[in-house]
Amino acid sequence: MSKTNIDQIARRSGNSKLRDTLSRGVFFTVILFSLLTAVPLLSILLDLIIKGWRQLNIGLFTEVVPTSMEAMFARQTDDVIPGGVLNGITGTLVMLGIAMILSIPIGLFGGIYLAEKKDAKIANVVRTLTDILQGIPSIVWGIVVYMLVVKAMNSYSALAGGVALGFMMIPMIIRSTEEGLLMIPETLKEAGLALGGSYTAVMFKVIIPSAFGSLFTGILLAVSRVMGETAPLMVTALGATYVHWDISKPMSAISLLIWEFYNDPNLADLVWSSSLLLLFLILGMNLLAKTVAAKWRI
């Protein structure tokens, strides 16, 4: 073997060792920063569990918010504060239901249009506006709905709160639907059309079921994103101290109750249990989304 070949082999060996060293360095750096990112999240969760577990009982789910006087007497005797957040749980579910009824059809059809007409000028405009709408602060959505719904009805209501949350969900569902449909091979649609299926039949019986995991995941993530919103509900739903199902009247939500508890020193202990409950709900939605995405992977 010539000296030139020996030098080339030695050079390649040196480069390989350098690449391995750099690769290991980058790998451990990524691990380090990932752990640093998890530290504040885990500390928040631990703090919520430590401070909120005492109030996390069956009454939290079956009773309405106690009065400030009842909470004060309980604090004086070091007892568990009576009452719960049942009115907030029911209000959250009602307003999320209204938001989903409003946002899911618009979001799905908007995403289908963007995916099918991706090169059209109107699609580019809609896509840009959708991205802008995702960055609008939630309080702005609340003010817009206040002008459109609350002023028109002359009353705060669960309907107004649901509309505000629905408006926030629409751009998220549009973009997730578009991305999910773009992952479907174009040949799948061509095959359906070649077999004689109409465009509508192919879209709703072939393409959309194939992208079900992505679409459902996008919807769940949008729901979990707005579930903890407080600002838009403060100027639309306002809140209520009792359980009712009339969407034309003010209604409470878990996030609204957390704000109310924070402003009352006697109810401050309920802040932690309510926050822990909301955290578990959002965590459950995200885990469900990941499970669906893994099972229905495109």
Side-chain angles (χ1 to χ4, degrees):
M1 183 179 293
S2 65
K3 185 177 183 301
T4 303
N5 292 335
I6 294 175
D7 292 341
Q8 291 177 349
I9 293 173
R11 193 179 301 111
R12 291 195 190 99
S13 177
N15 291 337
S16 176
K17 292 180 180 179
L18 178 62
R19 286 196 298 270
D20 291 341
T21 302
L22 290 175
S23 177
R24 285 194 294 269
V26 171
F27 174 76
F28 287 115
T29 301
V30 171
I31 295 297
L32 174 62
F33 280 102
S34 298
L35 293 175
L36 291 176
T37 303
V39 166
L41 298 177
L42 293 176
S43 63
I44 292 173
L45 179 60
L46 183 62
D47 197 34
L48 283 177
I49 293 175
I50 292 174
K51 295 181 179 179
W53 71 271
R54 189 165 181 259
Q55 290 290 147
L56 202 63
N57 50 53
I58 190 65
L60 189 71
F61 303 92
T62 59
E63 301 178 23
V64 296
V65 176
T67 63
S68 182
M69 187 68 68
E70 292 173 336
M72 183 180 67
F73 288 147
R75 287 171 61 89
Q76 288 177 349
T77 58
D78 198 28
D79 291 332
V80 175
I81 296 177
V85 293
L86 178 61
N87 52 325
I89 294 173
T90 56
T92 298
L93 294 177
V94 169
M95 285 186 277
L96 284 178
I98 296 172
M100 293 171 67
I101 292 173
L102 170 66
S103 62
I104 290 177
I106 298 175
L108 289 179
F109 282 106
I112 292 171
Y113 175 79
L114 293 183
E116 292 296 299
K117 305 290 184 180
K118 50 182 174 291
D119 296 325
K121 291 183 179 179
I122 297 179
N124 290 328
V125 173
V126 173
R127 190 177 294 109
T128 301
L129 292 176
T130 301
D131 292 336
I132 293 174
L133 291 177
Q134 288 193 78
I136 292 180
S138 59
I139 186 62
V140 176
W141 285 117
I143 294 173
V144 169
V145 175
Y146 174 84
M147 299 300 295
L148 295 177
V149 181
V150 176
K151 296 281 286 185
M153 297 178 62
N154 292 320
S155 172
Y156 297 96
S157 64
L159 177 62
V163 170
L165 298 182
F167 281 173
M168 295 177 61
M169 288 172 60
I170 288 174
M172 291 184 278
I173 296 177
I174 288 177
R175 293 299 279 151
S176 63
T177 300
E178 180 191 9
E179 295 299 327
L181 293 177
L182 289 176
M183 295 172 64
I184 301 297
E186 190 71 20
T187 53
L188 190 62
K189 182 172 67 175
E190 294 174 354
L193 295 173
L195 291 174
S198 64
Y199 177 81
T200 303
V202 171
M203 286 300 301
F204 286 95
K205 293 183 179 181
V206 179
I207 303 301
I208 292 180
S210 299
F212 173 78
S214 178
L215 304 186
F216 189 69
T217 300
I219 293 172
L220 286 181
L221 292 178
V223 171
S224 64
R225 163 68 177 79
V226 303
M227 186 182 292
E229 287 293 342
T230 305
L233 300 183
M234 293 173 65
V235 294
T236 53
L238 188 62
T241 58
Y242 57 96
V243 177
H244 69 89
W245 305 98
D246 189 350
I247 63 174
S248 64
K249 295 181 179 180
M251 190 173 287
S252 193
I254 298 176
S255 56
L256 278 176
L257 290 179
I258 293 173
W259 171 250
E260 293 174 8
F261 295 154
Y262 176 79
N263 290 306
D264 189 336
N266 294 320
L267 297 171
D269 289 346
L270 289 175
V271 170
W272 303 105
S273 56
S274 303
S275 300
L276 185 61
L277 172 60
L278 187 61
L279 179 65
F280 282 149
L281 290 175
I282 296 175
L283 178 62
M285 296 287 289
N286 281 271
L287 292 177
L288 178 60
K290 290 183 178 295
T291 302
V292 172
K295 183 176 180 180
W296 295 85
R297 184 172 297 163
I298 298 174

